[in-house]
Amino acid sequence: MFVARSGIGPLGFDDRMEVTLWCPPDDGGPGLCRLEKLGRTVRGWAEIEVRPGSGGRTRVVWREEIRSWLAPPLLDPS
């Protein structure tokens, strides 16, 4: 488990997360990391996929689903 600090200026919160899947890239294939967000302010998950791109570059795809008690019900589908 680790904690990231999210915020702007003096307003922020601790974002507790746990790595639940770790698949490093191998033989030119993609790598994948899945994080479960366990904080009181933000809950949900994030997946970070890393794959080779063209010209020696790397392509990163970030997918995330979050819920927050701070969001109005209209913006939080949970």
Side-chain angles (χ1 to χ4, degrees):
M1 184 175 311
F2 64 97
V3 178
R5 183 81 179 153
S6 297
I8 299 174
L11 303 175
F13 61 91
D14 289 340
D15 192 3
R16 291 181 32 228
M17 295 178 240
E18 182 175 350
V19 176
T20 59
L21 178 67
W22 178 258
C23 299
D26 62 347
D27 297 327
L32 180 66
C33 176
R34 182 176 173 97
L35 306 167
E36 295 292 328
K37 295 175 163 281
L38 305 170
R40 291 186 310 184
T41 305
V42 177
R43 299 187 69 80
W45 56 266
E47 288 182 347
I48 302 103
E49 182 179 325
V50 180
R51 61 178 55 221
S54 60
R57 296 183 177 190
T58 301
R59 179 176 172 86
V60 177
V61 178
W62 183 290
R63 292 178 289 276
E64 188 167 24
E65 181 178 290
I66 60 171
R67 296 174 303 283
S68 173
W69 64 269
L70 295 171
L74 181 63
L75 300 176
D76 188 357
S78 60

